[in-house]
Every structure is written in structure tokens, then in C-alpha cells.
Amino acid sequence: MQAYKVKLDAFEGPLDLLLHLINQYEIDIYDIPVAQITEQYMQYIHTMKRLELNIASEYLVMAATLIEIKSQMLLPKPELDEDAEEYMEDPREDLMQRLIEYRKYKEAALQLQVIEKEANQIYTRPPLLFDESISKHSEIAQGETSVYDMLEALRQMFERKKWDAPLETKVEKSDIPIEQRMEEVLQTVKSAKEGILFDRLFTIQTRPHIVVTFIALLELMKKNQVYCKQEKQLSELYVFSMEE
């Protein structure tokens, strides 16, 4: 028997996850509540580990950094002489600057993508693609939720169903072909006329089933065959067929 481990390229890095959390909880990037952000970050790391997804080392380095900053924030601050021009460095300063720089590059990359998309529409796409219904359909194909939203939905599902007992940890890879599970998930989603609740795709409490279903869903989204949608942040996640 061989441990079922999966490496995903859907995760962009720890700064991307932190920025996702900052946006999700509407946190001021210039005044990060380290205790809150560390707790939420570690929940994602725990969920990834529970699925036995291969976590890049930089995620673990960032976890250690957050814990160190949190510890420094809890230390009693020495009293400074009002007449002294001594500056007490904020332990969050370095992380804050890294996040600000990362956000600038991420926003610039998104703007370049928009420009590229507009250029493609002008020079290469046929007039049919400017039809309103097809245009709306193309926007959905880009995805309305991130992989982090899906991980959070998975974590909430574990809590709701009280799946706290250790899940089955080992399985022969050939026992659960990704392609087969993709087809099963696709047919299940297509049969639901108005979308299907994310939780309903995970019907068996074993790690192989949960992991393969999660990967199958990501692959179907990558192939623009399904998409996930939330009405608002932290609300229930639904999966829809792109044919709807």
C-alpha cells in the first residue's frame, strides 16, 4: 500500500493565501491582527495536511514566521522615555511591506490579463463571441471562487459532519482513477438543474474519496466544465455545470 499524496499547482504561495484572508475578513493591511490571521492561516494548513496534499516548504516557513510575530506581539512593551527619539519597530512591518508589494504585482498582473483579453477579442475572436449570453458565460469560466474558498468549504464540511476521527490514510492509486471520479462528479453536477451543494459531492468518509473528489473538481474547473460560486463570503459553496 502506498500513501496517496497529491501535489497541486493551484496554490500560488503563502503570500497569496494571506492576501486572500485579508480580503476575506476585510482586514486593514496596515494594521494586521496577527492572532486572528495566524489562526485562520493555520486552519488552511491543517486542512491541506489532512488531505495529504504536498505543501510547499514556504507555507510552513510563513506559518513559523506568523507564530514568531504573534509571540513578539504578546511580549510586554518597554516604557519609552517621552523625550527620547527611540523608535519601537513593529514586528509586523516586514510582513506588511511584503504583502503590499505582492498586492501591487498581483494587481498589475490582473490588469495585464484584462488588456490581453481585450486585445484577443478585438483581433482574434469572431463576432459571435460578443453575444451577451456567451460573454457572460466566458466570465464564469475564469472562476468565481479560489482554491482557498474551496478549502475553507471543505474545512467547514468537516466541522458540520463532525468528521474528526482519523480518515483512512492509505490506498492504492489505481483504486480511484481521477478520470473516473471526474466523470462521476461531472454527471452529478449536470443532473442538478440549479447547481449542487459542494458538500453533496463528498459522500464517503475516507481520505481517498475526499482527496480524489477534491482533485477531480479542481481538474473539471481547470477544463471549464464546472464552476463554483458563493452568494457571499463564507456562505455555502455551490457547483454548477458550464452547460447551464
Side-chain angles (χ1 to χ4, degrees):
M1 301 290 282
Q2 182 179 7
Y4 194 104
K5 287 188 177 287
V6 181
K7 180 173 175 59
L8 295 178
D9 56 6
F11 301 97
E12 296 184 30
L15 287 177
D16 193 66
L17 173 53
L18 284 177
L19 199 59
H20 168 81
L21 291 172
I22 286 172
N23 293 332
Q24 184 179 62
Y25 294 98
E26 299 180 348
I27 291 172
D28 182 359
I29 198 170
Y30 293 97
D31 187 20
I32 300 172
V34 178
Q36 178 188 356
I37 209 75
T38 301
E39 178 184 357
Q40 297 299 327
Y41 183 93
M42 295 307 298
Q43 286 183 359
Y44 278 88
I45 296 296
H46 176 72
T47 303
M48 291 185 210
K49 284 186 174 181
R50 191 170 187 181
L51 293 177
E52 290 196 348
L53 302 177
N54 285 350
I55 306 174
S57 59
E58 57 261 32
Y59 278 92
L60 304 180
V61 171
M62 179 59 73
T65 301
L66 288 171
I67 293 171
E68 181 182 3
I69 294 174
K70 179 181 176 182
S71 300
Q72 292 178 9
M73 296 287 290
L74 293 174
L75 292 175
K77 297 179 175 58
E79 295 184 5
L80 299 178
D81 189 343
E82 293 182 0
D83 297 329
E85 296 183 357
E86 188 174 355
Y87 171 69
M88 190 71 174
E89 184 177 359
D90 190 331
R92 303 171 295 179
E93 183 72 22
D94 180 63
L95 177 62
M96 181 186 71
Q97 292 300 328
R98 289 172 63 190
L99 281 168
I100 291 172
E101 286 300 312
Y102 179 79
R103 185 172 64 178
K104 288 179 181 177
Y105 284 114
K106 190 175 180 68
E107 290 174 350
L110 290 174
Q111 290 175 0
L112 290 174
Q113 289 179 4
V114 171
I115 293 172
E116 181 183 15
K117 179 180 178 181
E118 291 176 348
N120 288 339
Q121 288 177 334
I122 293 171
Y123 296 109
T124 63
R125 294 187 177 181
L128 180 61
L129 288 181
F130 288 100
D131 178 78
E132 182 179 353
S133 62
I134 298 179
S135 175
K136 186 180 296 185
H137 198 271
S138 299
E139 291 176 3
I140 292 174
Q142 296 180 10
E144 299 191 25
T145 58
S146 71
V147 67
Y148 301 120
D149 293 316
M150 296 170 65
L151 275 174
E152 174 61 18
L154 201 59
R155 186 190 68 79
Q156 291 181 11
M157 182 186 73
F158 286 147
E159 289 187 353
R160 283 195 299 270
K161 296 189 176 184
K162 301 187 183 304
W163 285 2
D164 297 324
L167 300 177
E168 182 182 335
T169 58
K170 295 181 182 295
V171 66
E172 292 284 354
K173 289 188 178 181
S174 58
D175 288 349
I176 310 177
I178 292 290
E179 294 77 9
Q180 176 184 327
R181 189 61 187 140
M182 286 173 63
E183 183 62 29
E184 292 171 354
V185 170
L186 183 59
Q187 292 306 317
T188 301
V189 174
K190 284 184 176 180
S191 66
K193 300 299 182 182
E194 297 181 356
I196 185 170
L197 188 63
F198 179 82
D199 291 21
R200 291 184 59 190
L201 296 175
F202 301 86
T203 54
I204 304 174
Q205 187 184 352
T206 63
R207 178 174 286 118
H209 173 80
I210 294 172
V211 172
V212 173
T213 300
F214 187 75
I215 304 304
L217 187 54
L218 288 177
E219 287 295 324
L220 289 170
M221 293 176 67
K222 185 177 179 180
K223 293 177 180 293
N224 289 332
Q225 292 181 288
V226 303
Y227 68 97
C228 296
K229 185 175 181 180
Q230 287 175 304
E231 292 300 321
K232 57 183 179 179
Q233 289 282 9
L234 302 178
S235 65
E236 291 184 324
L237 192 66
Y238 283 83
V239 185
F240 298 86
S241 169
M242 288 298 296
E243 295 181 357
E244 296 176 13

